[in-house]
Amino acid sequence: MDSKNDLEGNLILTEKHGPFHIIGDVHGCFDELLMLLQSLGYRITENNDLKKYEAVAPEGYKLLFVGDLVDRGPNSPEVLRLVMDLVEQGVAWCVSGNHDDKLKRKLQGNSVHIRHGLELTLEQLSRYSKSFISKVCLFLTELPHHIVLDEGKLVVAHAGLAETYHGRHSKSVRQLCLFGPTNGELDHLGLPIRLDWAADYTGSALVVYGHTPVKEPRWKNNTVNIDTGCVFGGRLTAISYPDLQLQSVSSFTCYAESMRPFLESQQDKSPQEK
């Protein structure tokens, strides 16, 4: 099957079998991202003439980002610039996170609440050119909400996705990919109460996601959450596919306070341990 992409939809790359490195929520932690890429064997250089980052990947590997590139951290613009350049170079793919989507809507001129780190990203972007900001807006607009790879055996979505929605595109599927399912109620902090969709997952595809920070990568029913809260003083984590090896770097500092405590990583065994 050929690659197929609907703008702001799903990206079908079933003919791509890996190997891949999939990276969790970056949230503006540019230095930690560079360190993680280096530890994974990527050589990242900055071409000053072209004003672009360039990457030499380990043989055969491609990168996948689970979204939430921006907000709360110290350098969201350079994270965006790096990931945009790697996607343009053909070294990486990226799905949209809810923070990326909100930044996109703000840059498009929509009314959004400036909070949860967006105020910091906008302040950082104010030091960049209008042409760069326009490029960011276009990039975020074209991000898919989930990606299906390796004959349907691997799915990457920011907040995860139940099997019945894999490869489908609709407004409701997009919302699930960005935010995950909720019960419609708010907790004591005024935040939506998230449902643990992975606890009921029975799909054969491995779903790699982030969105909800966990102390350690959380395996549950052939899903793995790799958002280990770098921006909150945790770690930035990558998982390789198909061998499912985990690698992470520690955050240099705590850049923001998490409104929710990290989820404890009550977990099933990873597939290679079963």
mmCIF file of all heavy atoms in Angstrom, residues 153-204:
data_model
loop_
_atom_site.group_PDB
_atom_site.id
_atom_site.type_symbol
_atom_site.label_atom_id
_atom_site.label_comp_id
_atom_site.label_asym_id
_atom_site.label_seq_id
_atom_site.Cartn_x
_atom_site.Cartn_y
_atom_site.Cartn_z
ATOM 1 N N LYS A 153 0.878 -3.176 12.299
ATOM 2 C CA LYS A 153 1.358 -3.735 13.571
ATOM 3 C C LYS A 153 1.791 -2.666 14.568
ATOM 4 O O LYS A 153 1.989 -2.972 15.749
ATOM 5 C CB LYS A 153 2.535 -4.687 13.312
ATOM 6 C CG LYS A 153 2.194 -5.884 12.452
ATOM 7 C CD LYS A 153 3.437 -6.677 12.122
ATOM 8 C CE LYS A 153 3.133 -7.807 11.131
ATOM 9 N NZ LYS A 153 4.374 -8.504 10.712
ATOM 10 N N LEU A 154 1.960 -1.414 14.111
ATOM 11 C CA LEU A 154 2.414 -0.328 14.972
ATOM 12 C C LEU A 154 1.554 0.907 14.720
ATOM 13 O O LEU A 154 1.341 1.291 13.569
ATOM 14 C CB LEU A 154 3.883 -0.002 14.683
ATOM 15 C CG LEU A 154 4.473 1.223 15.398
ATOM 16 C CD1 LEU A 154 4.507 1.013 16.905
ATOM 17 C CD2 LEU A 154 5.884 1.518 14.863
ATOM 18 N N VAL A 155 1.076 1.509 15.788
ATOM 19 C CA VAL A 155 0.300 2.745 15.718
ATOM 20 C C VAL A 155 0.913 3.756 16.692
ATOM 21 O O VAL A 155 1.198 3.410 17.841
ATOM 22 C CB VAL A 155 -1.187 2.508 16.059
ATOM 23 C CG1 VAL A 155 -1.948 3.829 16.160
ATOM 24 C CG2 VAL A 155 -1.833 1.602 15.021
ATOM 25 N N VAL A 156 1.116 4.976 16.213
ATOM 26 C CA VAL A 156 1.619 6.060 17.060
ATOM 27 C C VAL A 156 0.555 7.143 17.107
ATOM 28 O O VAL A 156 0.130 7.654 16.065
ATOM 29 C CB VAL A 156 2.948 6.629 16.518
ATOM 30 C CG1 VAL A 156 3.425 7.794 17.384
ATOM 31 C CG2 VAL A 156 4.015 5.538 16.455
ATOM 32 N N ALA A 157 0.103 7.474 18.308
ATOM 33 C CA ALA A 157 -0.909 8.514 18.515
ATOM 34 C C ALA A 157 -0.589 9.203 19.832
ATOM 35 O O ALA A 157 -0.235 8.539 20.807
ATOM 36 C CB ALA A 157 -2.317 7.924 18.553
ATOM 37 N N HIS A 158 -0.759 10.507 19.881
ATOM 38 C CA HIS A 158 -0.306 11.255 21.046
ATOM 39 C C HIS A 158 -0.896 10.733 22.354
ATOM 40 O O HIS A 158 -0.170 10.495 23.323
ATOM 41 C CB HIS A 158 -0.641 12.742 20.898
ATOM 42 C CG HIS A 158 -0.296 13.537 22.113
ATOM 43 N ND1 HIS A 158 1.003 13.667 22.554
ATOM 44 C CD2 HIS A 158 -1.073 14.213 23.006
ATOM 45 C CE1 HIS A 158 1.019 14.402 23.657
ATOM 46 N NE2 HIS A 158 -0.226 14.727 23.956
ATOM 47 N N ALA A 159 -2.214 10.578 22.406
ATOM 48 C CA ALA A 159 -2.864 10.121 23.637
ATOM 49 C C ALA A 159 -3.312 8.676 23.543
ATOM 50 O O ALA A 159 -4.063 8.192 24.394
ATOM 51 C CB ALA A 159 -4.058 11.022 23.971
ATOM 52 N N GLY A 160 -2.832 7.959 22.506
ATOM 53 C CA GLY A 160 -3.230 6.573 22.307
ATOM 54 C C GLY A 160 -4.514 6.476 21.493
ATOM 55 O O GLY A 160 -5.166 7.477 21.206
ATOM 56 N N LEU A 161 -4.899 5.239 21.145
ATOM 57 C CA LEU A 161 -6.083 5.061 20.307
ATOM 58 C C LEU A 161 -6.526 3.605 20.335
ATOM 59 O O LEU A 161 -5.727 2.696 20.084
ATOM 60 C CB LEU A 161 -5.785 5.474 18.866
ATOM 61 C CG LEU A 161 -6.986 5.637 17.933
ATOM 62 C CD1 LEU A 161 -7.902 6.765 18.414
ATOM 63 C CD2 LEU A 161 -6.533 5.914 16.504
ATOM 64 N N ALA A 162 -7.819 3.386 20.626
ATOM 65 C CA ALA A 162 -8.380 2.037 20.633
ATOM 66 C C ALA A 162 -8.355 1.444 19.225
ATOM 67 O O ALA A 162 -8.405 2.157 18.224
ATOM 68 C CB ALA A 162 -9.810 2.072 21.167
ATOM 69 N N GLU A 163 -8.319 0.122 19.157
ATOM 70 C CA GLU A 163 -8.105 -0.566 17.884
ATOM 71 C C GLU A 163 -9.168 -0.232 16.844
ATOM 72 O O GLU A 163 -8.867 -0.106 15.657
ATOM 73 C CB GLU A 163 -8.075 -2.077 18.111
ATOM 74 C CG GLU A 163 -7.794 -2.866 16.828
ATOM 75 C CD GLU A 163 -7.811 -4.358 17.058
ATOM 76 O OE1 GLU A 163 -8.588 -4.828 17.904
ATOM 77 O OE2 GLU A 163 -7.045 -5.066 16.385
ATOM 78 N N THR A 164 -10.411 -0.070 17.262
ATOM 79 C CA THR A 164 -11.502 0.159 16.306
ATOM 80 C C THR A 164 -11.301 1.429 15.483
ATOM 81 O O THR A 164 -11.872 1.562 14.401
ATOM 82 C CB THR A 164 -12.856 0.224 17.049
ATOM 83 O OG1 THR A 164 -13.900 0.265 16.096
ATOM 84 C CG2 THR A 164 -12.940 1.442 17.956
ATOM 85 N N TYR A 165 -10.444 2.350 15.974
ATOM 86 C CA TYR A 165 -10.231 3.613 15.274
ATOM 87 C C TYR A 165 -8.933 3.654 14.466
ATOM 88 O O TYR A 165 -8.663 4.672 13.825
ATOM 89 C CB TYR A 165 -10.218 4.757 16.283
ATOM 90 C CG TYR A 165 -11.484 4.848 17.099
ATOM 91 C CD1 TYR A 165 -11.443 4.677 18.475
ATOM 92 C CD2 TYR A 165 -12.720 5.097 16.502
ATOM 93 C CE1 TYR A 165 -12.594 4.757 19.239
ATOM 94 C CE2 TYR A 165 -13.882 5.178 17.261
ATOM 95 C CZ TYR A 165 -13.805 5.005 18.636
ATOM 96 O OH TYR A 165 -14.953 5.078 19.388
ATOM 97 N N HIS A 166 -8.137 2.599 14.506
ATOM 98 C CA HIS A 166 -6.862 2.622 13.797
ATOM 99 C C HIS A 166 -7.080 2.807 12.301
ATOM 100 O O HIS A 166 -7.855 2.082 11.670
ATOM 101 C CB HIS A 166 -6.079 1.328 14.043
ATOM 102 C CG HIS A 166 -5.636 1.161 15.461
ATOM 103 N ND1 HIS A 166 -4.965 0.032 15.901
ATOM 104 C CD2 HIS A 166 -5.742 1.987 16.539
ATOM 105 C CE1 HIS A 166 -4.697 0.165 17.193
ATOM 106 N NE2 HIS A 166 -5.158 1.341 17.595
ATOM 107 N N GLY A 167 -6.410 3.799 11.734
ATOM 108 C CA GLY A 167 -6.516 4.061 10.313
ATOM 109 C C GLY A 167 -7.734 4.862 9.910
ATOM 110 O O GLY A 167 -7.930 5.130 8.723
ATOM 111 N N ARG A 168 -8.553 5.264 10.879
ATOM 112 C CA ARG A 168 -9.761 6.014 10.565
ATOM 113 C C ARG A 168 -9.544 7.507 10.800
ATOM 114 O O ARG A 168 -8.698 7.906 11.598
ATOM 115 C CB ARG A 168 -10.939 5.513 11.412
ATOM 116 C CG ARG A 168 -11.361 4.101 11.052
ATOM 117 C CD ARG A 168 -12.429 3.579 11.994
ATOM 118 N NE ARG A 168 -13.619 4.440 12.015
ATOM 119 C CZ ARG A 168 -14.664 4.219 12.806
ATOM 120 N NH1 ARG A 168 -14.678 3.172 13.620
ATOM 121 N NH2 ARG A 168 -15.703 5.048 12.784
ATOM 122 N N HIS A 169 -10.311 8.309 10.088
ATOM 123 C CA HIS A 169 -10.190 9.761 10.223
ATOM 124 C C HIS A 169 -11.568 10.383 10.369
ATOM 125 O O HIS A 169 -12.424 10.233 9.508
ATOM 126 C CB HIS A 169 -9.479 10.365 9.006
ATOM 127 C CG HIS A 169 -9.444 11.869 9.017
ATOM 128 N ND1 HIS A 169 -9.170 12.582 10.163
ATOM 129 C CD2 HIS A 169 -9.659 12.783 8.047
ATOM 130 C CE1 HIS A 169 -9.217 13.884 9.884
ATOM 131 N NE2 HIS A 169 -9.522 14.030 8.605
ATOM 132 N N SER A 170 -11.771 11.033 11.506
ATOM 133 C CA SER A 170 -12.983 11.803 11.747
ATOM 134 C C SER A 170 -12.664 12.791 12.863
ATOM 135 O O SER A 170 -11.609 12.710 13.499
ATOM 136 C CB SER A 170 -14.148 10.899 12.177
ATOM 137 O OG SER A 170 -13.898 10.348 13.464
ATOM 138 N N LYS A 171 -13.564 13.710 13.099
ATOM 139 C CA LYS A 171 -13.355 14.680 14.169
ATOM 140 C C LYS A 171 -13.237 13.990 15.526
ATOM 141 O O LYS A 171 -12.388 14.356 16.350
ATOM 142 C CB LYS A 171 -14.502 15.692 14.189
ATOM 143 C CG LYS A 171 -14.316 16.792 15.221
ATOM 144 C CD LYS A 171 -15.443 17.817 15.149
ATOM 145 C CE LYS A 171 -15.243 18.912 16.190
ATOM 146 N NZ LYS A 171 -16.337 19.930 16.126
ATOM 147 N N SER A 172 -14.050 12.973 15.759
ATOM 148 C CA SER A 172 -14.017 12.286 17.051
ATOM 149 C C SER A 172 -12.739 11.475 17.213
ATOM 150 O O SER A 172 -12.168 11.423 18.314
ATOM 151 C CB SER A 172 -15.242 11.376 17.205
ATOM 152 O OG SER A 172 -15.290 10.396 16.190
ATOM 153 N N VAL A 173 -12.244 10.845 16.133
ATOM 154 C CA VAL A 173 -10.982 10.115 16.207
ATOM 155 C C VAL A 173 -9.838 11.083 16.489
ATOM 156 O O VAL A 173 -8.956 10.812 17.321
ATOM 157 C CB VAL A 173 -10.727 9.327 14.905
ATOM 158 C CG1 VAL A 173 -9.311 8.758 14.890
ATOM 159 C CG2 VAL A 173 -11.740 8.205 14.762
ATOM 160 N N ARG A 174 -9.870 12.214 15.823
ATOM 161 C CA ARG A 174 -8.833 13.226 16.043
ATOM 162 C C ARG A 174 -8.815 13.678 17.507
ATOM 163 O O ARG A 174 -7.749 13.809 18.110
ATOM 164 C CB ARG A 174 -9.070 14.408 15.109
ATOM 165 C CG ARG A 174 -8.049 15.520 15.226
ATOM 166 C CD ARG A 174 -8.309 16.587 14.163
ATOM 167 N NE ARG A 174 -7.414 17.715 14.356
ATOM 168 C CZ ARG A 174 -7.652 18.726 15.189
ATOM 169 N NH1 ARG A 174 -8.756 18.749 15.909
ATOM 170 N NH2 ARG A 174 -6.783 19.714 15.299
ATOM 171 N N GLN A 175 -9.990 13.909 18.091
ATOM 172 C CA GLN A 175 -10.062 14.331 19.492
ATOM 173 C C GLN A 175 -9.505 13.260 20.421
ATOM 174 O O GLN A 175 -8.818 13.572 21.399
ATOM 175 C CB GLN A 175 -11.508 14.658 19.869
ATOM 176 C CG GLN A 175 -12.040 15.944 19.253
ATOM 177 C CD GLN A 175 -11.289 17.176 19.756
ATOM 178 O OE1 GLN A 175 -10.448 17.730 19.047
ATOM 179 N NE2 GLN A 175 -11.576 17.577 20.971
ATOM 180 N N LEU A 176 -9.804 11.996 20.129
ATOM 181 C CA LEU A 176 -9.267 10.909 20.941
ATOM 182 C C LEU A 176 -7.752 10.851 20.852
ATOM 183 O O LEU A 176 -7.061 10.628 21.853
ATOM 184 C CB LEU A 176 -9.873 9.574 20.510
ATOM 185 C CG LEU A 176 -11.324 9.331 20.907
ATOM 186 C CD1 LEU A 176 -11.849 8.073 20.223
ATOM 187 C CD2 LEU A 176 -11.462 9.216 22.419
ATOM 188 N N CYS A 177 -7.208 11.044 19.660
ATOM 189 C CA CYS A 177 -5.760 11.017 19.485
ATOM 190 C C CYS A 177 -5.082 12.149 20.255
ATOM 191 O O CYS A 177 -3.993 11.976 20.814
ATOM 192 C CB CYS A 177 -5.399 11.117 18.009
ATOM 193 S SG CYS A 177 -5.803 9.651 17.040
ATOM 194 N N LEU A 178 -5.715 13.314 20.267
ATOM 195 C CA LEU A 178 -5.108 14.477 20.925
ATOM 196 C C LEU A 178 -5.271 14.451 22.432
ATOM 197 O O LEU A 178 -4.345 14.821 23.168
ATOM 198 C CB LEU A 178 -5.734 15.765 20.378
ATOM 199 C CG LEU A 178 -5.433 16.137 18.934
ATOM 200 C CD1 LEU A 178 -6.179 17.404 18.558
ATOM 201 C CD2 LEU A 178 -3.942 16.320 18.704
ATOM 202 N N PHE A 179 -6.439 14.042 22.923
ATOM 203 C CA PHE A 179 -6.765 14.196 24.334
ATOM 204 C C PHE A 179 -7.038 12.889 25.070
ATOM 205 O O PHE A 179 -7.047 12.876 26.301
ATOM 206 C CB PHE A 179 -7.999 15.100 24.490
ATOM 207 C CG PHE A 179 -7.808 16.480 23.943
ATOM 208 C CD1 PHE A 179 -8.291 16.809 22.683
ATOM 209 C CD2 PHE A 179 -7.137 17.447 24.667
ATOM 210 C CE1 PHE A 179 -8.121 18.086 22.165
ATOM 211 C CE2 PHE A 179 -6.957 18.723 24.157
ATOM 212 C CZ PHE A 179 -7.449 19.044 22.908
ATOM 213 N N GLY A 180 -7.298 11.805 24.338
ATOM 214 C CA GLY A 180 -7.708 10.574 24.983
ATOM 215 C C GLY A 180 -9.147 10.665 25.446
ATOM 216 O O GLY A 180 -9.747 11.736 25.486
ATOM 217 N N PRO A 181 -9.740 9.532 25.837
ATOM 218 C CA PRO A 181 -11.133 9.544 26.307
ATOM 219 C C PRO A 181 -11.234 10.115 27.721
ATOM 220 O O PRO A 181 -10.340 9.925 28.549
ATOM 221 C CB PRO A 181 -11.521 8.063 26.279
ATOM 222 C CG PRO A 181 -10.226 7.338 26.485
ATOM 223 C CD PRO A 181 -9.171 8.165 25.804
ATOM 224 N N THR A 182 -12.319 10.833 27.985
ATOM 225 C CA THR A 182 -12.608 11.353 29.320
ATOM 226 C C THR A 182 -14.034 10.962 29.694
ATOM 227 O O THR A 182 -14.804 10.517 28.838
ATOM 228 C CB THR A 182 -12.468 12.878 29.382
ATOM 229 O OG1 THR A 182 -13.484 13.477 28.561
ATOM 230 C CG2 THR A 182 -11.092 13.323 28.883
ATOM 231 N N ASN A 183 -14.378 11.144 30.957
ATOM 232 C CA ASN A 183 -15.736 10.796 31.390
ATOM 233 C C ASN A 183 -16.663 11.998 31.407
ATOM 234 O O ASN A 183 -17.803 11.905 31.883
ATOM 235 C CB ASN A 183 -15.719 10.110 32.754
ATOM 236 C CG ASN A 183 -15.288 11.047 33.883
ATOM 237 O OD1 ASN A 183 -14.997 12.228 33.655
ATOM 238 N ND2 ASN A 183 -15.239 10.519 35.095
ATOM 239 N N GLY A 184 -16.185 13.139 30.914
ATOM 240 C CA GLY A 184 -17.016 14.329 30.837
ATOM 241 C C GLY A 184 -17.047 15.148 32.111
ATOM 242 O O GLY A 184 -17.687 16.210 32.156
ATOM 243 N N GLU A 185 -16.341 14.674 33.150
ATOM 244 C CA GLU A 185 -16.313 15.390 34.414
ATOM 245 C C GLU A 185 -14.933 16.010 34.645
ATOM 246 O O GLU A 185 -13.954 15.661 33.970
ATOM 247 C CB GLU A 185 -16.661 14.447 35.562
ATOM 248 C CG GLU A 185 -18.056 13.839 35.452
ATOM 249 C CD GLU A 185 -18.357 12.863 36.574
ATOM 250 O OE1 GLU A 185 -17.475 12.666 37.441
ATOM 251 O OE2 GLU A 185 -19.468 12.298 36.584
ATOM 252 N N LEU A 186 -14.869 16.929 35.618
ATOM 253 C CA LEU A 186 -13.617 17.582 35.976
ATOM 254 C C LEU A 186 -13.162 17.114 37.352
ATOM 255 O O LEU A 186 -13.987 16.827 38.232
ATOM 256 C CB LEU A 186 -13.777 19.109 35.979
ATOM 257 C CG LEU A 186 -14.233 19.747 34.665
ATOM 258 C CD1 LEU A 186 -14.381 21.252 34.838
ATOM 259 C CD2 LEU A 186 -13.277 19.428 33.526
ATOM 260 N N ASP A 187 -11.846 17.075 37.540
ATOM 261 C CA ASP A 187 -11.327 16.704 38.856
ATOM 262 C C ASP A 187 -11.247 17.942 39.752
ATOM 263 O O ASP A 187 -11.707 19.033 39.388
ATOM 264 C CB ASP A 187 -9.968 16.008 38.723
ATOM 265 C CG ASP A 187 -8.876 16.909 38.126
ATOM 266 O OD1 ASP A 187 -9.069 18.147 38.079
ATOM 267 O OD2 ASP A 187 -7.839 16.379 37.711
ATOM 268 N N HIS A 188 -10.641 17.791 40.941
ATOM 269 C CA HIS A 188 -10.580 18.894 41.899
ATOM 270 C C HIS A 188 -9.708 20.046 41.417
ATOM 271 O O HIS A 188 -9.777 21.149 41.953
ATOM 272 C CB HIS A 188 -10.064 18.383 43.245
ATOM 273 C CG HIS A 188 -8.626 17.942 43.212
ATOM 274 N ND1 HIS A 188 -8.216 16.775 42.595
ATOM 275 C CD2 HIS A 188 -7.499 18.522 43.693
ATOM 276 C CE1 HIS A 188 -6.911 16.641 42.707
ATOM 277 N NE2 HIS A 188 -6.448 17.688 43.374
ATOM 278 N N LEU A 189 -8.893 19.797 40.390
ATOM 279 C CA LEU A 189 -8.061 20.852 39.811
ATOM 280 C C LEU A 189 -8.748 21.549 38.645
ATOM 281 O O LEU A 189 -8.186 22.466 38.052
ATOM 282 C CB LEU A 189 -6.723 20.259 39.343
ATOM 283 C CG LEU A 189 -5.833 19.642 40.426
ATOM 284 C CD1 LEU A 189 -4.663 18.907 39.785
ATOM 285 C CD2 LEU A 189 -5.336 20.712 41.396
ATOM 286 N N GLY A 190 -9.954 21.079 38.314
ATOM 287 C CA GLY A 190 -10.653 21.639 37.169
ATOM 288 C C GLY A 190 -10.210 21.058 35.848
ATOM 289 O O GLY A 190 -10.500 21.615 34.779
ATOM 290 N N LEU A 191 -9.513 19.911 35.883
ATOM 291 C CA LEU A 191 -9.014 19.260 34.673
ATOM 292 C C LEU A 191 -9.909 18.083 34.313
ATOM 293 O O LEU A 191 -10.470 17.420 35.203
ATOM 294 C CB LEU A 191 -7.577 18.765 34.892
ATOM 295 C CG LEU A 191 -6.543 19.842 35.240
ATOM 296 C CD1 LEU A 191 -5.215 19.191 35.612
ATOM 297 C CD2 LEU A 191 -6.359 20.814 34.086
ATOM 298 N N PRO A 192 -10.059 17.783 33.012
ATOM 299 C CA PRO A 192 -10.889 16.639 32.611
ATOM 300 C C PRO A 192 -10.356 15.341 33.212
ATOM 301 O O PRO A 192 -9.144 15.116 33.281
ATOM 302 C CB PRO A 192 -10.763 16.633 31.084
ATOM 303 C CG PRO A 192 -10.359 18.030 30.723
ATOM 304 C CD PRO A 192 -9.505 18.514 31.854
ATOM 305 N N ILE A 193 -11.254 14.494 33.665
ATOM 306 C CA ILE A 193 -10.865 13.192 34.213
ATOM 307 C C ILE A 193 -10.644 12.226 33.057
ATOM 308 O O ILE A 193 -11.563 11.922 32.286
ATOM 309 C CB ILE A 193 -11.945 12.662 35.171
ATOM 310 C CG1 ILE A 193 -12.081 13.602 36.369
ATOM 311 C CG2 ILE A 193 -11.599 11.245 35.628
ATOM 312 C CD1 ILE A 193 -13.192 13.219 37.330
ATOM 313 N N ARG A 194 -9.421 11.777 32.916
ATOM 314 C CA ARG A 194 -9.053 10.904 31.806
ATOM 315 C C ARG A 194 -9.371 9.453 32.131
ATOM 316 O O ARG A 194 -9.182 8.994 33.262
ATOM 317 C CB ARG A 194 -7.558 11.054 31.494
ATOM 318 C CG ARG A 194 -7.156 12.466 31.089
ATOM 319 C CD ARG A 194 -5.650 12.600 30.969
ATOM 320 N NE ARG A 194 -5.262 13.970 30.610
ATOM 321 C CZ ARG A 194 -4.005 14.395 30.563
ATOM 322 N NH1 ARG A 194 -3.002 13.566 30.839
ATOM 323 N NH2 ARG A 194 -3.738 15.649 30.235
ATOM 324 N N LEU A 195 -9.827 8.726 31.138
ATOM 325 C CA LEU A 195 -10.097 7.303 31.282
ATOM 326 C C LEU A 195 -8.882 6.503 30.831
ATOM 327 O O LEU A 195 -8.166 6.900 29.908
ATOM 328 C CB LEU A 195 -11.321 6.911 30.447
ATOM 329 C CG LEU A 195 -12.624 7.636 30.787
ATOM 330 C CD1 LEU A 195 -13.732 7.181 29.846
ATOM 331 C CD2 LEU A 195 -13.015 7.409 32.238
ATOM 332 N N ASP A 196 -8.673 5.374 31.486
ATOM 333 C CA ASP A 196 -7.510 4.538 31.163
ATOM 334 C C ASP A 196 -7.891 3.590 30.026
ATOM 335 O O ASP A 196 -8.210 2.427 30.233
ATOM 336 C CB ASP A 196 -7.067 3.763 32.398
ATOM 337 C CG ASP A 196 -5.772 2.990 32.170
ATOM 338 O OD1 ASP A 196 -5.163 3.151 31.082
ATOM 339 O OD2 ASP A 196 -5.366 2.234 33.065
ATOM 340 N N TRP A 197 -7.848 4.132 28.788
ATOM 341 C CA TRP A 197 -8.252 3.342 27.622
ATOM 342 C C TRP A 197 -7.374 2.101 27.449
ATOM 343 O O TRP A 197 -7.834 1.054 26.979
ATOM 344 C CB TRP A 197 -8.185 4.198 26.351
ATOM 345 C CG TRP A 197 -6.781 4.580 26.005
ATOM 346 C CD1 TRP A 197 -6.082 5.648 26.473
ATOM 347 C CD2 TRP A 197 -5.884 3.864 25.156
ATOM 348 N NE1 TRP A 197 -4.805 5.643 25.972
ATOM 349 C CE2 TRP A 197 -4.659 4.564 25.157
ATOM 350 C CE3 TRP A 197 -5.998 2.700 24.397
ATOM 351 C CZ2 TRP A 197 -3.549 4.138 24.439
ATOM 352 C CZ3 TRP A 197 -4.894 2.278 23.663
ATOM 353 C CH2 TRP A 197 -3.685 2.994 23.694
ATOM 354 N N ALA A 198 -6.088 2.201 27.859
ATOM 355 C CA ALA A 198 -5.156 1.087 27.652
ATOM 356 C C ALA A 198 -5.538 -0.133 28.483
ATOM 357 O O ALA A 198 -5.208 -1.264 28.118
ATOM 358 C CB ALA A 198 -3.729 1.533 27.976
ATOM 359 N N ALA A 199 -6.223 0.086 29.608
ATOM 360 C CA ALA A 199 -6.615 -1.034 30.463
ATOM 361 C C ALA A 199 -7.589 -1.973 29.759
ATOM 362 O O ALA A 199 -7.669 -3.164 30.103
ATOM 363 C CB ALA A 199 -7.232 -0.511 31.754
ATOM 364 N N ASP A 200 -8.316 -1.448 28.774
ATOM 365 C CA ASP A 200 -9.291 -2.260 28.041
ATOM 366 C C ASP A 200 -8.834 -2.582 26.620
ATOM 367 O O ASP A 200 -9.609 -3.140 25.835
ATOM 368 C CB ASP A 200 -10.635 -1.521 27.972
ATOM 369 C CG ASP A 200 -11.210 -1.235 29.348
ATOM 370 O OD1 ASP A 200 -11.164 -2.139 30.201
ATOM 371 O OD2 ASP A 200 -11.688 -0.101 29.568
ATOM 372 N N TYR A 201 -7.602 -2.261 26.293
ATOM 373 C CA TYR A 201 -7.129 -2.454 24.920
ATOM 374 C C TYR A 201 -6.915 -3.937 24.637
ATOM 375 O O TYR A 201 -6.252 -4.647 25.416
ATOM 376 C CB TYR A 201 -5.826 -1.685 24.707
ATOM 377 C CG TYR A 201 -5.285 -1.775 23.300
ATOM 378 C CD1 TYR A 201 -5.877 -1.077 22.254
ATOM 379 C CD2 TYR A 201 -4.171 -2.567 23.007
ATOM 380 C CE1 TYR A 201 -5.380 -1.154 20.960
ATOM 381 C CE2 TYR A 201 -3.663 -2.647 21.724
ATOM 382 C CZ TYR A 201 -4.260 -1.941 20.702
ATOM 383 O OH TYR A 201 -3.769 -2.018 19.421
ATOM 384 N N THR A 202 -7.439 -4.404 23.517
ATOM 385 C CA THR A 202 -7.281 -5.812 23.133
ATOM 386 C C THR A 202 -6.707 -5.958 21.726
ATOM 387 O O THR A 202 -6.750 -7.048 21.156
ATOM 388 C CB THR A 202 -8.643 -6.543 23.197
ATOM 389 O OG1 THR A 202 -9.576 -5.875 22.331
ATOM 390 C CG2 THR A 202 -9.187 -6.571 24.618
ATOM 391 N N GLY A 203 -6.191 -4.875 21.173
ATOM 392 C CA GLY A 203 -5.719 -4.899 19.792
ATOM 393 C C GLY A 203 -4.407 -5.637 19.613
ATOM 394 O O GLY A 203 -3.616 -5.803 20.546
ATOM 395 N N SER A 204 -4.166 -6.066 18.379
ATOM 396 C CA SER A 204 -2.908 -6.746 18.055
ATOM 397 C C SER A 204 -1.798 -5.768 17.716
ATOM 398 O O SER A 204 -0.614 -6.114 17.799
ATOM 399 C CB SER A 204 -3.131 -7.708 16.881
ATOM 400 O OG SER A 204 -3.618 -6.999 15.743
#
